Amino acid sequence: MQKTLTSAIDIPEQMQNDWQNMLDILSNVINVPAALIMRIYDNDIKVFSSSSSTENPYIKGATEKLNQGLYCETVIEERQELTVFNALVDPEWRSNPDLKQNMIAYCGLPLYWPDNTPFGTLCILDKKENHFSPTYQKLMKTYQHSIEAQLNTLYQHADLLNRHQELQAEVARTTQHLNEINIKLSNEIDCRRAAEQKVEYHKNHDVNTGFLNPIAIHKHVDSLIKSETKFVLLHIHFANSRKIQQEYGYQAFDSLLIEYRSKLTKITDTSVTGRLGSSDILLIIQTDKEKLPQLCQHLSEIGQANYTANEQSLHLQTYVGAVHSKEGISRSDLLQFAYDTVVKCQSLGKTFTIADVSLPTQSSLSEHKIERYLLEAVRNHDLFLNYQPKVCPVNKKWIGCEALLRWNHPHLGAIANDVLIQLAERNGLIYELGNFALRNAIQQASEWILHSPNFVMAVNISAVQLKDPHFVTHIKQLLSLYQLPSKNLELEVTESGLISDEPLAITTLSQLNNMGISIALDDFGTGYASFQYLKKYPFSSLKIDKSFIANIEQNEDDQNIVCAMINIAKKLQLKVVVEGVENQNQEAFVVKEGIDLIQGYLYSKPISATDFEEGLFNQSSIGTPYFHFV
Ligand code: C2E
Ligand code: CA
Ligand code: CA
């Protein structure tokens, strides 16, 4: 700590007044003209207090230079009392400066601060020789002690002040230092927090696009399941992602995904988006069941919007598989279910598919179990066909039918066909299933044509079946076995069957067509580039998908689409079949547009062979002529 500077210590006024009184008493009692308290500085000495006696020549505040042999300077230097009785006779003092004031006798005592630095002196001076009695000297000493005691107090006070100031300065310094450390620390904490947030972000996001990554999606789905929140999982697959990535780079595709998401947030704001792989994203939303089809439609439409990569305009070919959360379903089952749905959607060539959760599916039962049941059903002939009439729009007669597979499991109940076919396509059972449907439908048709010779039996054919190199031979064998003319058979194929292997599909379908079998393009309007296919393949008819008919009364867009599809089909000289007609308004609309065949619940649901036969034979018994165009 810094030493207290005594020269800077001020003597308070009150103390100065005390000293003044003390000197006055001293000069009176000892009877001398001057009693003084001198204060020494670096180069001079000052009359600090002076008795107020009339003959006192020393004026308070007067100074005298040092180093000229002053009495007081000697007292201070030697740190002891000095008594000069008569300077005039003392060779040592004969020429000291105080003789100018005629002061020939002197008695002085040193005054020291407690740190041993000199304050000055307490002294008395006389114009005549004076031997200063021991009593007076004692009195002087008493005053010396009293003054030094006061100096001590002042010193302690100053020292304390000094310490206090130093301490304050130290505190200020420390505070500033602490502040600096604090700022540094805050910066450090901010940096760390930012780093942690970055790590956390990386832990949960696909860094290139900002989508949630699979871990985060799992967590999110888990929390929704745990809180029993109802939600919809939409698995979106971008079928042309690889092509875009190869042509324009991964980064370009990532940018398209970001753009897709920003378009997506405009149509649904309560969604969570995640990326499952390079070509798939997941959307988690909370929406009403009724609004879901429209949302799925929007999702496809925003994929079809204009995107640019390297100044090239392109589209995202999206397939959407939507599934509702269901009580008791596990996260992995639900995700698998959504995945299966999108796979199915693509294989069916539809833009979106909403899975029917009310029916048992592989999400509620292990896929393995269903497969085993299915295998048993095929082997044990537990499968059967239902038939749904195709009706003449003019006279409403049944002029054909569509064979639809049914599997009524003793424990599981009715299994949705979509699920069944998809499962069978995956595990290869589709060949057995397909053969079963073909064989039974052909056999059935061969009986019904005895009654109605122009009756046309339509059978659904899966994409997988079309790839079978023996498919045409197989059909030939069945037709010949049951003696069914080829004009009585129609095969319904979806675009997906054509997309997967175009050249093979063209060859197979051409061969079948050359045999006289008619080919219908099923689910028309739900896939991509449908119009292109119409010219490429030997179709005789197209079936407008039931999803367009469902909203035709309210939705003007659907009305326009249906009209456009009918016009194009007519230009290409194709027959138009409309499916999913459930009421008379829908019927009135499509009949007015001049379609060739109608199918739907309005006339009959798919029914058993016995029921169908009854319906078919009863109307024929009326003798109504049918098929002016079949
Ligand atoms: P799809 O070929 O489009 O068959 C028409 C579906 O629409 C049938 O469902 C039918 O019951 C239903 N449907 C008919 N009229 C109406 C209506 O007015 N309103 C509504 N809402 N629906 C109607 P289903 O039987 O469940 O068959 C579903 C799909 O399973 C079929 O769609 C077809 O793709 C496939 N499928 C059925 N049987 C076979 C088969 O033997 N082989 C193959 N490969 N696929 C089959
Ligand atoms: Ca069909
Ligand atoms: Ca259809």
Side-chain angles (χ1 to χ4, degrees):
M1 176 179 144
Q2 222 177 28
K3 202 169 172 305
T4 301
L5 200 61
T6 48
S7 59
I9 298 176
D10 282 333
I11 310 298
E13 207 179 323
Q14 180 59 46
M15 200 174 279
Q16 289 189 36
N17 291 341
D18 288 351
W19 289 3
Q20 182 65 50
N21 289 337
M22 201 186 290
L23 293 176
D24 288 346
I25 292 168
L26 208 58
S27 70
N28 271 334
V29 171
I30 305 176
N31 195 22
V32 287
L36 307 173
I37 292 176
M38 304 297 290
R39 184 166 187 181
I40 192 166
Y41 296 94
D42 287 346
N43 301 314
D44 46 26
I45 188 161
K46 179 176 161 187
V47 178
F48 193 78
S49 291
S50 176
S51 60
S52 33
S53 40
T54 45
E55 288 169 74
N56 184 356
Y58 298 99
I59 299 159
K60 182 177 174 179
T63 55
E64 197 66 67
K65 288 270 172 250
L66 293 174
N67 298 320
Q68 43 175 331
L70 286 166
Y71 299 126
C72 291
E73 205 178 337
T74 307
V75 172
I76 293 163
E77 267 170 18
E78 294 184 0
R79 304 175 74 96
Q80 61 179 350
E81 183 183 344
L82 171 69
T83 315
V84 178
F85 307 136
N86 184 350
L88 297 176
V89 294
D90 189 333
E92 200 180 332
W93 296 104
R94 235 186 340 231
S95 54
N96 89 79
D98 287 302
L99 290 182
K100 280 189 280 184
Q101 313 291 343
N102 297 324
M103 294 298 170
I104 60 166
Y106 174 88
C107 176
L109 292 166
L111 295 172
Y112 274 86
W113 292 100
D115 67 345
N116 271 333
T117 54
F119 174 81
T121 58
L122 166 69
C123 60
I124 47 178
L125 295 109
D126 203 349
K127 291 182 176 175
K128 54 183 190 312
E129 183 170 309
N130 195 331
H131 283 268
F132 305 111
S133 73
T135 316
Y136 295 154
Q137 285 181 20
K138 215 171 165 186
L139 182 65
M140 290 274 286
K141 276 212 167 84
T142 313
Y143 280 166
Q144 178 201 26
H145 288 148
S146 158
I147 292 167
E148 281 191 335
Q150 290 178 2
L151 288 178
N152 187 27
T153 311
L154 282 184
Y155 180 86
Q156 298 306 339
H157 183 74
D159 196 40
L160 220 65
L161 205 72
N162 188 20
R163 277 167 193 269
H164 178 70
Q165 279 169 351
E166 283 227 336
L167 220 67
Q168 263 189 336
E170 183 62 31
V171 168
R173 269 198 303 279
T174 316
T175 311
Q176 191 182 347
H177 186 56
L178 277 174
N179 278 344
E180 282 165 12
I181 292 180
N182 217 3
I183 290 170
K184 263 193 193 163
L185 213 70
S186 307
N187 285 344
E188 183 75 6
I189 290 172
D190 284 352
C191 283
R192 287 223 174 156
R193 193 167 295 151
E196 275 167 19
Q197 281 169 345
K198 213 168 165 185
V199 169
E200 191 61 26
Y201 184 83
H202 283 198
K203 243 171 45 190
N204 290 321
H205 291 83
D206 171 53
V207 183
N208 300 327
T209 56
F211 281 87
L212 287 182
N213 64 19
I215 300 169
I217 294 168
H218 288 181
K219 268 198 251 166
H220 186 70
V221 173
D222 282 345
S223 73
L224 290 175
I225 291 176
K226 199 167 167 206
S227 62
E228 295 180 359
T229 311
K230 284 199 167 152
F231 61 98
V232 179
L233 213 58
L234 295 126
H235 189 129
I236 304 171
H237 175 68
F238 298 97
N240 58 344
S241 62
R242 292 248 180 277
K243 201 163 166 251
I244 296 173
Q245 284 160 350
Q246 276 162 8
E247 268 178 46
Y248 304 101
Y250 283 84
Q251 237 178 344
F253 180 69
D254 286 351
S255 308
L256 298 186
L257 278 190
I258 294 169
E259 206 180 326
Y260 182 83
R261 186 183 48 206
S262 85
K263 290 184 199 294
L264 193 129
T265 47
K266 284 181 195 138
I267 57 166
T268 167
D269 49 9
T270 54
S271 61
V272 172
T273 47
R275 188 169 187 185
L276 296 168
S278 66
S279 314
D280 296 76
I281 64 168
L282 200 75
L283 182 63
I284 301 168
I285 51 162
Q286 277 147 39
T287 187
D288 299 336
K289 212 171 174 176
E290 301 76 53
K291 291 189 187 146
L292 194 53
Q294 200 185 8
L295 176 72
C296 290
Q297 186 67 40
H298 280 326
L299 290 178
S300 304
E301 280 164 12
I302 58 172
Q304 286 300 300
N306 238 348
Y307 293 80
T308 23
N310 291 2
E311 294 172 3
Q312 296 292 312
S313 162
L314 40 91
H315 306 292
L316 290 172
Q317 197 178 357
T318 56
Y319 290 100
V320 181
V323 295
H324 290 272
S325 63
K326 206 178 162 198
E327 212 184 313
I329 193 163
S330 72
R331 180 238 301 154
S332 62
D333 275 356
L334 196 61
L335 290 173
Q336 180 67 43
F337 190 18
Y339 172 73
D340 291 344
T341 307
V342 85
V343 169
K344 185 191 116 190
C345 171
Q346 191 175 3
S347 72
L348 291 177
K350 298 188 175 188
T351 51
F352 68 86
T353 301
I354 300 168
D356 191 350
V357 281
S358 62
L359 293 163
T361 63
Q362 56 269 54
S363 67
S364 54
L365 265 180
S366 87
E367 183 167 322
H368 183 69
K369 234 184 199 167
I370 297 194
E371 262 181 38
R372 200 159 46 82
Y373 288 154
L374 184 58
L375 192 66
E376 281 167 14
V378 175
R379 303 273 147 89
N380 300 340
H381 307 289
D382 285 343
L383 296 169
F384 57 95
L385 289 179
N386 267 352
Y387 302 90
Q388 186 177 32
K390 290 186 180 178
V391 173
C392 164
V394 181
N395 56 19
K396 310 291 159 57
K397 296 297 172 198
W398 296 10
I399 54 180
C401 74
E402 178 177 5
L404 292 157
L405 206 56
R406 290 289 176 266
W407 177 31
N408 213 344
H409 190 272
H411 307 305
L412 303 176
I415 310 274
N417 257 334
D418 300 4
V419 176
L420 189 69
I421 302 297
Q422 185 200 349
L423 193 71
E425 278 180 345
R426 268 212 306 268
N427 60 20
L429 281 174
I430 189 68
Y431 293 114
E432 302 206 38
L433 236 60
N435 289 347
F436 170 85
L438 272 171
R439 176 182 294 274
N440 283 272
I442 289 174
Q443 185 184 15
Q444 190 60 72
S446 67
E447 288 171 23
W448 288 341
I449 56 160
L450 299 177
H451 192 271
S452 312
N454 288 326
F455 188 86
V456 176
M457 169 68 76
V459 184
N460 290 288
I461 299 300
S462 133
V464 180
Q465 282 171 282
L466 270 187
K467 284 188 203 154
D468 176 5
H470 308 296
F471 186 64
V472 178
T473 321
H474 184 60
I475 299 258
K476 261 188 200 155
Q477 285 169 350
L478 287 173
L479 290 178
S480 105
L481 179 67
Y482 295 105
Q483 291 296 298
L484 183 75
S486 52
K487 65 165 179 131
N488 296 106
L489 180 65
E490 181 171 59
L491 300 179
E492 294 190 4
V493 296
T494 56
E495 272 175 49
S496 63
L498 315 175
I499 293 167
S500 50
D501 194 340
E502 237 176 62
L504 184 65
I506 293 184
T507 317
T508 308
L509 293 182
S510 302
Q511 284 173 2
L512 293 167
N513 184 247
N514 290 341
M515 284 163 58
I517 297 169
S518 28
I519 315 289
L521 179 58
D522 202 359
D523 298 346
F524 187 72
T526 59
Y528 292 101
S530 294
F531 291 120
Q532 290 176 14
Y533 288 101
L534 292 182
K535 278 212 250 167
K536 260 191 208 166
Y537 293 91
F539 296 125
S540 41
S541 61
L542 64 83
K543 289 184 81 173
I544 295 176
D545 189 69
K546 55 182 178 291
S547 60
F548 294 102
I549 307 302
N551 299 321
I552 205 159
E553 290 158 273
Q554 316 87 12
N555 192 327
E556 213 174 305
D557 282 349
D558 282 351
Q559 290 175 10
N560 294 333
I561 292 170
V562 169
C563 292
M565 288 194 281
I566 294 173
N567 280 334
I568 286 184
K570 280 183 180 166
K571 278 203 184 107
L572 295 171
Q573 295 179 322
L574 297 173
K575 282 183 214 149
V576 183
V577 184
V578 173
E579 66 177 7
V581 174
E582 295 184 357
N583 62 44
Q584 270 154 359
N585 290 338
Q586 294 169 345
E587 179 191 57
F589 185 90
V590 293
V591 169
K592 184 172 70 85
E593 291 305 316
I595 47 99
D596 300 292
L597 276 174
I598 323 184
Q599 184 182 345
Y601 293 170
L602 178 62
Y603 312 104
S604 168
K605 288 198 167 181
I607 46 178
S608 70
T610 323
D611 291 345
F612 191 90
E613 197 167 280
E614 197 181 328
L616 182 68
F617 290 179
N618 279 345
Q619 61 173 354
S620 65
S621 66
I622 308 166
T624 316
Y626 17 94
F627 357 116
H628 58 280
F629 45 68
V630 181

